[in-house]
Amino acid sequence: MSNSGLDAEKIESNQEERTANVHRIDSLNLLIFTTLLVIVVLTIWICKRRNFRYLHETCLALIYGSITGAILRHTSTSNTKPSILRLNDTSLPKNVIPNWVSFEDQNMSASYLYAFQGPYQKDTMHLEEYKAMFNSEIFFNIILPPIIFHAGYSMKRKNFFRNLGAILMFALIGTTIACISTGVMVYGSIRAFSGLRSYFSFTDSLYFGAIISATDPVTVLAIFHDLNVDVDLYAIIFGESVLNDAVCIVLAQSIEKYVASAILDRFDRGLMFKSLCNFFVVFIGSFAIGSGMGCLTALMTKFTYIRDFPLLETTLFVLMSYSTFLASEAAGLTGIVAVLFCGIFQAHYTFNNLSQESKQRTRELFELLNFLAENFIFIYIGITLFTFPNHQWDIRFIVIALIAIGLSRILCVVFLSFLLNLTRKNQISWRWQTMIIFSGLRGAFAFALAIRNVSTQARSLMYTTTSIIVILTVVFNGTLTAPVLKWLKIRVNVNEEVEAPSSNDRYRIMEDDRNRERRSSDEVVLLNNDNDDDSTLAIDLRRDISPNRKIEKKPASKTWLLKKWSHFDRIFMKPLLTHSYPPLTVTLPACLVPITRLLTTKEQRAFNRNENLFPTEMQSFDNHDNSTLTNNCRNSTPELIDMEFTCTNPLDHYSTVSNLKSNMHTDATSVNLRTDNNGDVSAHFTSSSSSSSSPSKPL
Amino acid sequence: MSNSGLDAEKIESNQEERTANVHRIDSLNLLIFTTLLVIVVLTIWICKRRNFRYLHETCLALIYGSITGAILRHTSTSNTKPSILRLNDTSLPKNVIPNWVSFEDQNMSASYLYAFQGPYQKDTMHLEEYKAMFNSEIFFNIILPPIIFHAGYSMKRKNFFRNLGAILMFALIGTTIACISTGVMVYGSIRAFSGLRSYFSFTDSLYFGAIISATDPVTVLAIFHDLNVDVDLYAIIFGESVLNDAVCIVLAQSIEKYVASAILDRFDRGLMFKSLCNFFVVFIGSFAIGSGMGCLTALMTKFTYIRDFPLLETTLFVLMSYSTFLASEAAGLTGIVAVLFCGIFQAHYTFNNLSQESKQRTRELFELLNFLAENFIFIYIGITLFTFPNHQWDIRFIVIALIAIGLSRILCVVFLSFLLNLTRKNQISWRWQTMIIFSGLRGAFAFALAIRNVSTQARSLMYTTTSIIVILTVVFNGTLTAPVLKWLKIRVNVNEEVEAPSSNDRYRIMEDDRNRERRSSDEVVLLNNDNDDDSTLAIDLRRDISPNRKIEKKPASKTWLLKKWSHFDRIFMKPLLTHSYPPLTVTLPACLVPITRLLTTKEQRAFNRNENLFPTEMQSFDNHDNSTLTNNCRNSTPELIDMEFTCTNPLDHYSTVSNLKSNMHTDATSVNLRTDNNGDVSAHFTSSSSSSSSPSKPL
């Protein structure tokens, strides 16, 4: 064997050993996470069985993670001596840290490459292995998208859009105020401490303000959902915390750009204005990508008939949703906003085109992914609290930061609520304000923003402080949410029949079908609120809505923009993107028929043909074959009939006329369709079961 | 601002830029993959619509990946100049490549760490970005487990175990022979080429033999499934290719260890024997972990009643399955074998304890993950063919390797089939042998083994050659499988009623329920084959099995071991791990009652109590409420009744007596239970519908 051959074999086995070692460590790391997740699942199960709802799963994950982290830190010693080549820095250019280091091996005439990992402290080298397996890239690209998509997908869209003003106010203005005020307060306070002052600049303070202002929806909303808290409060807190994240990342980027420009002496007065423009470009761009991809998926699922193969259909749906996130990020926009709106559009349009199997699959899949991702991230936060090799502890800074974020939150919420209450019919009371302030806990997103960059002492300090704040707020605020709700006397157990937050329905799969029907009936009500529109084929059948609620809701519920959108949605978007009736051939002017005919599917045309036959057909339902009818008897509530007609529902459209017939029959409901002078069609239902009967309102 | 503060800010923004750049590249990379997956899905959909079944999806993924890779290679230029610090190697210890490089920054008093990436060629630095996002760790830890688990979970266990002898022969002996003969042939051939000889040693050749001997089940089996090929042939090829992978990884590790020892001059004669021992330790250890975790999950799901919360249940199931893989890998064993047997055990026991929702969820989830993972890996193989920065092309070597693996495969299959046919009743004909040889295409696993270590020229050569072989065999053999099957006149469209391969049921969700019933009835038949066992409560009701098939199958089907296992399974494993009847209190000796009572759930006890009441209760079914009965009428075939009794089925056990009643009623079947002299209970069904009636065979 030649000398060079021997060398090659040494290098080979060197690499083999390295690979095997890395694999062992990775497996062990993942095993720790999986085992902790199993323990979390079992603990949740015990809590559920014992009806102990105050300790939320994320809190559990955090606590278990911390305990494991502490054990790992104090037991792990590097049994495999890491082979480090230490270089003196003479050969390095000043103040530039290269991304790669390479060196050439003369024997092998090969070059080897080393990638930048980050700073480290010598005594924590053995912890490097625990850090290696996770980085912020995995969080942002893999863990985050399912969480946000699930939020958008399962959101109560009606409440979200009804409170859009307040949400945008809190998310855009509120977060910016919070960021600046936190930054200023922190900077002001640390002037007193010479140790911190030396390396923590004003831009650092602002940057810290940006990353720490991202509130987390997970824990509070899960508890809200369990307790059925007032849906408007729920919508505000949810909407704020989701959009919030996007605002924070844009703010942080703007501050970074500002710093970079300032260093390069290209600072100009217009930079702030530029940042502001950038801010809106990013938001609008992300919204455009998200909604565009949502519509594209709807079109694909409408016209391809891929639903014959549910596996392909589900895969396509998942992949399109994920591409939305990636496309937005790759374009330098914010994937969170994109995937949020993609989720909203998918739920509104695409979901209607899916087969029954795919609907269930996608819902369950995202629910599962969301659950795993959430708990994984909180376990990770807990573990890294102890195993991260480069912590920078400063108790004074932690106290300052806690006080600053608390004060900033109070300031924003009180100030903005005052402004909002000037125009809002449904006032934000002091109780709600207190709850909004209390819900401002920090979670995974702040953590991920902090861990992205720990290259300097100041950044390490931010990272350590953020970890502590996340843990404190999740454990403290998370655990106290239920008692505080009780103390504030905020309406809980809001009548589920009307207002159940049917989103986020974890552990409630059994109720899913009921919830779905309910949500859909809500939508129908929403749709029918704009009575000034013509050419409507909508059957209004509100039942169980208490009169006082109706009065309270109606005046505040509709803005001009929302009305216009609702109309546009009905005459153009729905017919274009789903199989709903009326099709575009009916809703758009006749001159466009050549185009609209192309965009109308045979399901829509079939509906069209049957339209005029309905009244006569319905007379002959009674002698329909009994055996097929009974299959549908479980779902046969008047809401379902409602949905079948207007097709604004997330139920399957392919259970068309015959399904409808059977529903009608089994509930012994007689339906009369009536055409008004202005072309509107209204229906009268007379149901034999008194509980579900309610006279329909002519439009 | 102090000087040090400015430095810190430069470093901060340096890192910020690095993070942003990495994030952009990662997003772009993932977007490319997602987009390609979307295109693959759409193409598959078109193929399915056009009934064009010859081009399999993995083949499509490979082709699209290659095209994209070629485009990327020729269009991508590093627009962001990578900052590389090039070092001369004077400071390096000879022949040792350190895992980490660190240097200290005097200004910041911080150390920075660089991690080893691998060798690179200067002109391909810009391709580094495409490589960065994927490594073999992701394949082994994330992509592979769902594929293998899905295989084990959805496998037709009956056929697998019936052909276990042939499978083990091909997988263990066959692969070892193939590895050695390929290695010898390659080494013999390259002696002729001085260029290769200089750096490709004999151990390299053997190592290459090991990694290239891993055959891939994906493509061929999907086509087999679509065409309903003979189930025994299917089982042999499937079983061989799954166990094969594990054999190859163990062989490769043994060769590596051998090399490492040889270099360190610790070579001893017993090393080969040690390797052999290691081989069996690894196999048996992995089997133990896999089956142990499977049983543990079954116990957890049986006794916790976590099925009240389907989301938690599904999560637990997924996590436990994944931990099996990780635990096995972390222990230095082979996760593939562990997760395969875990899948088999989960399907056999745990699945019975799951709620109806979880059953569907887990099946669909693993199906989806399997689909995504498979296609992802083939796209990746295609892309890296062009973008991998360190290829080592040698057309001579590729030709040599192709000839060597072809000859080795023919040698093994013919030789081992000859040996097997000496004892086998159901002979492996030359047609089957040809098909087995033809099915030996190389796939993701060989690729992943090759990419693990590309540190030297020899390893790079192996990697490049493996890529080419994978692509050639997947495209060539994959596309020609259907024509070759036709040419060989191998039975396709085997009567689905008897032998449908109900596993791998992609695109066949609609048929799932039917398949499930069928599979379960198969299992019942298997169980009843061992007539010499006593204390059996099994109701035999074979219908539709053609007499000639029965004669052909029976003598070869049962080995002594399998019989013993089957008995043990029935009297101990099933009652312990599932809610099946009879419980341990009945099957085990009376002296153990205090223990067995603890291990018996209330479902099992309820069954127990109702047992003696059956005949009388069944007389009164006719006046049962009609409306509840009709809900179950779709599933009411005699097979189902069968399963309800013996509880060896994967259907829900909580549809116990009342469900049974309704089934009986709707089929107008009267059932008589009869106890024989030896305590066996047999049943007679008399069905009013002649198609499904068949007299039961007393045991």
Side-chain angles (χ1 to χ4, degrees):
Chain A
M1 235 175 259
S2 72
N3 185 38
S4 129
L6 192 67
D7 287 347
E9 275 176 8
K10 270 194 188 175
I11 288 163
E12 259 177 40
S13 66
N14 194 298
Q15 167 70 4
E16 201 69 34
E17 204 181 285
R18 185 184 295 118
T19 314
N21 199 34
V22 167
H23 185 64
R24 192 187 57 81
I25 291 165
D26 282 352
S27 303
L28 206 60
N29 273 325
L30 284 171
L31 186 62
I32 290 169
F33 277 95
T34 328
T35 312
L36 285 176
L37 281 171
V38 169
I39 297 171
V40 169
V41 167
L42 291 178
T43 322
I44 297 168
W45 168 71
I46 291 168
C47 289
K48 294 266 157 199
R49 294 262 304 176
R50 302 253 175 285
N51 247 329
F52 182 75
R53 55 164 53 131
Y54 300 113
L55 204 61
H56 188 252
E57 64 222 38
T58 50
C59 190
L60 280 174
L62 206 49
I63 292 166
Y64 290 147
S66 304
I67 295 170
T68 313
I71 294 170
L72 285 178
R73 183 174 187 103
H74 294 293
T75 58
S76 87
T77 48
S78 50
N79 45 7
T80 54
K81 191 168 58 67
S83 62
I84 301 191
L85 173 73
R86 288 180 210 284
L87 304 170
N88 51 2
D89 68 339
T90 50
S91 55
L92 296 174
K94 198 176 175 312
N95 280 328
V96 173
I97 302 168
N99 289 339
W100 308 93
V101 169
S102 76
F103 69 83
E104 229 168 289
D105 185 349
Q106 286 172 332
N107 291 325
M108 295 302 301
S109 69
S111 296
Y112 297 96
L113 203 62
Y114 288 79
F116 181 79
Q117 295 291 297
Y120 86 108
Q121 290 165 354
K122 271 170 210 146
D123 55 331
T124 58
M125 185 60 211
H126 66 282
L127 295 171
E128 195 59 34
E129 359 189 283
Y130 297 106
K131 188 198 151 200
M133 67 146 293
F134 183 90
N135 59 35
S136 61
E137 279 303 287
I138 293 178
F139 174 78
F140 281 106
N141 283 331
I142 311 285
I143 312 276
L144 189 63
I147 297 180
I148 305 288
F149 185 83
H150 181 74
Y153 194 56
S154 63
M155 193 178 66
K156 274 185 87 69
R157 296 185 293 285
K158 185 182 71 164
N159 296 300
F160 180 82
F161 286 109
R162 199 166 58 196
N163 292 291
L164 196 62
I167 291 169
L168 286 178
M169 191 77 143
F170 281 121
L172 299 181
I173 320 271
T175 309
T176 313
I177 295 175
C179 162
I180 294 167
S181 63
T182 308
V184 170
M185 276 190 247
V186 166
Y187 190 65
S189 309
I190 62 168
R191 303 295 295 170
F193 305 110
S194 58
L196 285 169
R197 196 176 51 200
S198 66
Y199 65 86
F200 209 82
S201 67
F202 183 62
T203 42
D204 283 332
S205 303
L206 274 185
Y207 189 83
F208 179 69
I211 61 175
I212 205 68
S213 297
T215 60
D216 189 78
V218 173
T219 311
V220 169
L221 292 192
I223 294 166
F224 271 37
H225 177 252
D226 284 354
L227 297 176
N228 293 318
V229 174
D230 189 288
V231 281
D232 285 310
L233 181 61
Y234 185 104
I236 291 174
I237 292 177
F238 169 84
E240 186 217 348
S241 54
V242 172
L243 290 181
N244 205 326
D245 293 349
V247 175
C248 285
I249 201 168
V250 175
L251 279 175
Q253 279 166 2
S254 301
I255 292 166
E256 265 312 315
K257 271 184 197 154
Y258 174 87
V259 171
S261 310
I263 290 170
L264 296 170
D265 299 322
R266 286 192 285 101
F267 179 77
D268 60 280
R269 295 288 159 199
L271 201 68
M272 271 296 173
F273 179 71
K274 262 193 214 165
S275 293
L276 206 69
C277 283
N278 175 46
F279 193 91
F280 284 104
V281 166
V282 164
F283 254 86
I284 292 165
S286 306
F287 172 77
I289 288 186
S291 48
M293 291 290 271
C295 294
L296 182 64
T297 316
L299 284 175
M300 279 165 99
T301 46
K302 182 183 174 187
F303 289 106
T304 58
Y305 294 94
I306 204 168
R307 65 176 164 274
D308 298 341
F309 309 100
L311 175 63
L312 293 184
E313 194 184 20
T314 314
T315 315
L316 187 72
F317 186 84
V318 172
L319 289 173
M320 289 300 287
S321 311
Y322 190 39
S323 327
T324 307
F325 180 85
L326 295 172
S328 185
E329 288 289 322
L333 305 172
T334 156
I336 298 170
V337 174
V339 86
L340 176 72
F341 282 99
C342 177
I344 294 173
F345 271 75
Q346 303 276 51
H348 198 56
Y349 300 117
T350 315
F351 197 76
N352 295 308
N353 301 336
L354 298 182
S355 66
Q356 206 58 49
E357 287 102 313
S358 287
K359 282 178 192 178
Q360 204 182 334
R361 261 190 205 216
T362 48
R363 208 173 337 105
E364 289 174 353
L365 179 72
F366 281 110
E367 199 186 11
L368 182 71
L369 288 181
N370 176 56
F371 182 84
L372 284 177
E374 259 173 40
N375 286 298
F376 178 84
I377 189 70
F378 280 99
I379 288 177
Y380 182 72
I381 294 173
I383 286 188
T384 44
L385 182 67
F386 290 95
T387 61
F388 187 72
N390 215 28
H391 271 303
Q392 192 80 32
W393 297 94
D394 196 313
I395 189 75
R396 298 166 302 180
F397 190 77
I398 293 170
V399 173
I400 290 169
L402 275 172
I403 294 169
I405 61 169
L407 288 177
S408 303
R409 179 115 192 129
I410 294 170
L411 178 78
C412 295
V413 173
V414 173
F415 174 62
L416 294 176
S417 300
F418 171 75
L419 288 185
L420 285 166
N421 281 341
L422 294 180
T423 59
R424 226 177 126 88
K425 292 269 166 49
N426 184 9
Q427 297 271 308
I428 299 174
S429 65
W430 71 267
R431 293 177 196 279
W432 280 27
Q433 291 176 31
T434 316
M435 198 61 229
I436 295 172
I437 292 167
F438 192 78
S439 307
L441 46 84
R442 272 61 176 172
F445 201 80
F447 177 82
L449 283 178
I451 210 175
R452 276 175 75 224
N453 187 347
V454 285
S455 59
T456 63
Q457 221 179 339
R459 289 297 168 97
S460 292
L461 182 69
M462 286 185 210
Y463 167 69
T464 306
T465 310
T466 307
S467 291
I468 295 291
I469 290 174
V470 167
I471 292 176
L472 287 180
T473 56
V474 166
V475 173
F476 181 78
N477 297 34
T479 314
L480 291 184
T481 303
V484 168
L485 275 173
K486 205 173 174 184
W487 176 68
L488 288 172
K489 298 190 184 68
I490 287 173
R491 289 202 306 164
V492 293
N493 293 320
V494 171
N495 181 9
E496 273 217 45
E497 283 305 302
V498 190
E499 312 210 319
S502 61
S503 59
N504 260 329
D505 37 9
R506 47 185 70 204
Y507 325 122
R508 300 207 171 205
I509 307 307
M510 303 294 281
E511 292 179 24
D512 243 33
D513 285 297
R514 276 174 60 213
N515 278 347
R516 223 166 9 165
E517 289 166 26
R518 226 176 288 133
R519 194 182 344 167
S520 311
S521 80
D522 276 1
E523 277 172 16
V524 174
V525 172
L526 173 72
L527 210 73
N528 295 330
N529 271 349
D530 33 6
N531 301 335
D532 51 348
D533 291 324
D534 50 4
S535 74
T536 318
L537 183 96
I539 296 162
D540 195 7
L541 192 117
R542 294 185 224 179
R543 60 158 189 145
D544 289 343
I545 297 176
S546 56
N548 61 327
R549 179 76 200 156
K550 216 188 271 174
I551 291 159
E552 179 195 348
K553 205 164 61 182
K554 234 180 151 182
S557 66
K558 280 289 196 170
T559 62
W560 175 85
L561 188 71
L562 213 52
K563 269 184 206 161
K564 284 289 160 205
W565 165 255
S566 195
H567 176 66
F568 178 68
D569 183 45
R570 200 171 48 250
I571 69 156
F572 184 74
M573 297 295 277
K574 282 254 174 194
L576 175 66
L577 299 175
T578 70
H579 296 283
S580 76
Y581 188 82
L584 287 177
T585 42
V586 175
T587 58
L588 292 191
C591 58
L592 294 171
V593 161
I595 300 159
T596 54
R597 192 183 291 276
L598 270 180
L599 299 171
T600 303
T601 56
K602 65 174 188 287
E603 281 82 2
Q604 289 174 307
R605 278 195 285 271
F607 230 130
N608 202 1
R609 271 195 299 277
N610 290 331
E611 181 197 6
N612 297 324
L613 302 172
F614 264 7
T616 44
E617 270 192 18
M618 278 172 190
Q619 307 305 318
S620 62
F621 288 165
D622 286 353
N623 50 9
H624 204 277
D625 180 25
N626 219 345
S627 65
T628 58
L629 283 176
T630 45
N631 287 324
N632 296 308
C633 62
R634 287 179 177 227
N635 295 323
S636 56
T637 62
E639 281 96 327
L640 195 70
I641 304 174
D642 231 66
M643 293 184 297
E644 297 289 344
F645 262 88
T646 60
C647 292
T648 58
N649 59 53
L651 273 174
D652 201 1
H653 286 294
Y654 308 107
S655 55
T656 48
V657 183
S658 72
N659 197 354
L660 186 65
K661 293 174 193 173
S662 60
N663 287 327
M664 306 244 165
H665 168 79
T666 49
D667 253 14
T669 310
S670 76
V671 180
N672 297 310
L673 282 171
R674 191 180 67 190
T675 311
D676 283 345
N677 300 345
N678 55 354
D680 287 355
V681 181
S682 69
H684 284 278
F685 288 82
T686 9
S687 174
S688 63
S689 59
S690 63
S691 73
S692 64
S693 76
S694 131
S696 82
K697 191 172 68 81
L699 300 174
Chain B
M1 235 175 259
S2 72
N3 185 37
S4 128
L6 191 67
D7 287 348
E9 274 176 9
K10 271 195 188 174
I11 288 163
E12 259 178 39
S13 67
N14 194 297
Q15 168 70 4
E16 203 69 35
E17 204 182 285
R18 183 184 295 119
T19 313
N21 198 34
V22 166
H23 185 64
R24 193 188 56 82
I25 292 166
D26 282 352
S27 303
L28 205 60
N29 272 326
L30 283 172
L31 185 61
I32 291 170
F33 278 94
T34 329
T35 312
L36 285 177
L37 280 172
V38 169
I39 297 171
V40 169
V41 168
L42 291 177
T43 322
I44 297 169
W45 168 71
I46 291 167
C47 290
K48 293 267 156 198
R49 295 263 302 175
R50 302 254 175 283
N51 246 330
F52 182 75
R53 56 163 55 131
Y54 301 113
L55 205 60
H56 188 250
E57 64 222 40
T58 51
C59 189
L60 281 174
L62 207 48
I63 293 166
Y64 289 146
S66 304
I67 295 168
T68 314
I71 295 169
L72 284 178
R73 183 177 186 101
H74 295 292
T75 57
S76 87
T77 48
S78 50
N79 45 8
T80 54
K81 190 167 59 67
S83 63
I84 302 190
L85 173 73
R86 287 181 213 280
L87 303 171
N88 50 3
D89 67 340
T90 49
S91 56
L92 296 174
K94 195 174 179 308
N95 279 328
V96 174
I97 302 166
N99 289 338
W100 307 93
V101 169
S102 77
F103 68 84
E104 229 167 288
D105 186 349
Q106 286 172 333
N107 290 326
M108 295 301 302
S109 69
S111 297
Y112 297 97
L113 204 61
Y114 288 78
F116 180 79
Q117 296 292 298
Y120 86 108
Q121 289 165 356
K122 270 170 211 145
D123 55 329
T124 58
M125 186 61 210
H126 65 283
L127 295 171
E128 196 59 34
E129 354 189 287
Y130 296 107
K131 189 197 147 199
M133 69 145 293
F134 184 91
N135 59 35
S136 60
E137 279 303 287
I138 293 177
F139 174 77
F140 281 105
N141 283 331
I142 312 286
I143 311 277
L144 189 63
I147 297 180
I148 304 288
F149 186 83
H150 181 73
Y153 194 55
S154 64
M155 193 178 67
K156 274 186 87 68
R157 295 185 292 286
K158 184 181 72 163
N159 297 299
F160 180 81
F161 286 109
R162 199 165 58 196
N163 293 291
L164 196 62
I167 290 168
L168 286 177
M169 192 78 143
F170 281 120
L172 298 180
I173 320 271
T175 309
T176 312
I177 295 176
C179 162
I180 295 168
S181 63
T182 309
V184 171
M185 277 189 247
V186 165
Y187 190 65
S189 310
I190 62 169
R191 303 297 295 173
F193 306 110
S194 59
L196 285 170
R197 197 177 48 199
S198 65
Y199 65 85
F200 209 82
S201 68
F202 182 62
T203 42
D204 282 333
S205 302
L206 274 184
Y207 190 83
F208 179 69
I211 61 175
I212 206 68
S213 297
T215 59
D216 190 78
V218 174
T219 311
V220 169
L221 292 193
I223 294 167
F224 271 37
H225 178 252
D226 284 355
L227 297 177
N228 292 320
V229 173
D230 188 289
V231 280
D232 285 310
L233 181 60
Y234 185 104
I236 291 173
I237 292 176
F238 168 82
E240 186 217 347
S241 54
V242 172
L243 289 181
N244 205 325
D245 292 349
V247 176
C248 285
I249 200 168
V250 175
L251 279 175
Q253 279 167 0
S254 301
I255 292 166
E256 265 313 314
K257 272 186 197 153
Y258 174 86
V259 171
S261 310
I263 290 170
L264 297 170
D265 299 324
R266 286 193 286 101
F267 179 76
D268 60 280
R269 296 287 158 199
L271 202 67
M272 270 295 172
F273 179 72
K274 262 192 214 166
S275 295
L276 206 70
C277 283
N278 175 47
F279 192 91
F280 284 103
V281 166
V282 164
F283 254 85
I284 292 166
S286 306
F287 171 76
I289 288 185
S291 48
M293 291 290 273
C295 293
L296 182 65
T297 317
L299 284 175
M300 280 164 98
T301 47
K302 183 184 174 187
F303 289 106
T304 58
Y305 296 94
I306 204 168
R307 65 177 164 272
D308 298 341
F309 309 99
L311 175 63
L312 293 183
E313 195 184 17
T314 315
T315 315
L316 187 71
F317 186 85
V318 172
L319 289 173
M320 288 299 288
S321 311
Y322 189 40
S323 325
T324 307
F325 180 85
L326 295 171
S328 186
E329 289 289 321
L333 305 172
T334 158
I336 298 169
V337 174
V339 87
L340 176 71
F341 282 98
C342 178
I344 294 173
F345 271 77
Q346 303 277 51
H348 197 58
Y349 300 116
T350 316
F351 196 75
N352 295 309
N353 301 335
L354 298 183
S355 66
Q356 207 58 50
E357 288 103 314
S358 287
K359 283 179 190 179
Q360 204 182 335
R361 262 191 204 214
T362 47
R363 209 175 334 105
E364 289 174 353
L365 179 72
F366 281 111
E367 199 185 13
L368 182 71
L369 288 181
N370 176 57
F371 182 85
L372 285 176
E374 261 173 38
N375 287 298
F376 178 85
I377 189 70
F378 281 99
I379 288 177
Y380 182 71
I381 294 173
I383 285 188
T384 43
L385 182 67
F386 290 94
T387 60
F388 187 71
N390 214 28
H391 272 303
Q392 193 79 33
W393 297 94
D394 195 311
I395 187 76
R396 297 166 303 179
F397 190 79
I398 294 170
V399 173
I400 290 170
L402 275 172
I403 295 170
I405 61 169
L407 288 178
S408 302
R409 179 116 191 128
I410 294 169
L411 178 79
C412 293
V413 173
V414 172
F415 174 63
L416 294 177
S417 300
F418 171 74
L419 287 184
L420 285 166
N421 281 341
L422 294 179
T423 60
R424 229 178 122 89
K425 293 270 166 49
N426 184 10
Q427 297 270 309
I428 300 173
S429 66
W430 71 268
R431 293 178 195 280
W432 278 27
Q433 290 177 30
T434 316
M435 198 61 228
I436 294 172
I437 291 167
F438 192 78
S439 308
L441 45 85
R442 271 62 175 171
F445 201 81
F447 176 83
L449 283 178
I451 209 174
R452 275 174 77 225
N453 186 347
V454 285
S455 58
T456 63
Q457 220 179 337
R459 289 296 169 96
S460 293
L461 182 69
M462 287 184 209
Y463 167 69
T464 306
T465 311
T466 307
S467 290
I468 294 292
I469 290 174
V470 167
I471 291 175
L472 288 181
T473 56
V474 167
V475 173
F476 181 79
N477 297 34
T479 314
L480 289 185
T481 302
V484 168
L485 274 174
K486 203 173 176 184
W487 176 69
L488 288 173
K489 298 189 183 68
I490 287 173
R491 290 200 306 164
V492 294
N493 292 322
V494 171
N495 180 11
E496 272 218 46
E497 282 304 305
V498 190
E499 313 211 316
S502 61
S503 61
N504 260 330
D505 36 9
R506 48 183 72 202
Y507 324 120
R508 300 206 170 205
I509 308 304
M510 304 293 280
E511 293 179 23
D512 243 35
D513 284 298
R514 276 175 58 214
N515 277 347
R516 222 164 10 161
E517 289 167 25
R518 226 174 289 133
R519 195 184 338 168
S520 309
S521 81
D522 277 1
E523 277 172 16
V524 173
V525 172
L526 173 72
L527 210 72
N528 295 330
N529 270 349
D530 35 4
N531 301 336
D532 50 348
D533 290 325
D534 49 3
S535 75
T536 319
L537 183 98
I539 296 162
D540 196 7
L541 193 117
R542 294 184 226 182
R543 60 158 191 149
D544 287 346
I545 298 176
S546 56
N548 61 327
R549 180 75 200 155
K550 214 190 272 175
I551 290 159
E552 181 193 348
K553 206 164 60 180
K554 229 181 153 183
S557 66
K558 278 287 195 171
T559 62
W560 175 84
L561 188 70
L562 214 52
K563 269 183 206 164
K564 283 289 160 201
W565 166 256
S566 193
H567 176 65
F568 178 68
D569 182 45
R570 201 170 50 249
I571 69 157
F572 183 73
M573 297 296 276
K574 281 254 175 194
L576 175 66
L577 299 174
T578 70
H579 296 282
S580 77
Y581 188 82
L584 287 176
T585 43
V586 175
T587 58
L588 291 191
C591 58
L592 294 172
V593 161
I595 301 158
T596 54
R597 192 182 291 276
L598 270 179
L599 299 170
T600 304
T601 57
K602 64 174 187 285
E603 282 83 359
Q604 289 174 307
R605 277 195 286 270
F607 229 131
N608 200 1
R609 271 195 299 278
N610 290 330
E611 181 197 8
N612 297 322
L613 302 171
F614 264 8
T616 43
E617 270 191 20
M618 277 168 191
Q619 306 306 320
S620 61
F621 290 163
D622 286 355
N623 50 7
H624 203 279
D625 179 28
N626 220 345
S627 64
T628 58
L629 283 176
T630 44
N631 286 324
N632 296 306
C633 61
R634 286 178 177 227
N635 295 322
S636 58
T637 61
E639 282 96 327
L640 195 69
I641 302 175
D642 231 64
M643 293 185 297
E644 297 290 343
F645 262 88
T646 60
C647 293
T648 58
N649 58 53
L651 273 173
D652 200 359
H653 287 293
Y654 308 108
S655 53
T656 48
V657 182
S658 74
N659 196 354
L660 186 67
K661 290 176 196 175
S662 59
N663 288 326
M664 306 243 163
H665 169 80
T666 49
D667 255 13
T669 310
S670 78
V671 180
N672 297 310
L673 282 169
R674 192 180 66 189
T675 310
D676 282 345
N677 299 345
N678 55 353
D680 290 358
V681 182
S682 68
H684 286 277
F685 289 81
T686 7
S687 174
S688 63
S689 60
S690 64
S691 73
S692 64
S693 79
S694 131
S696 81
K697 191 172 69 81
L699 300 173

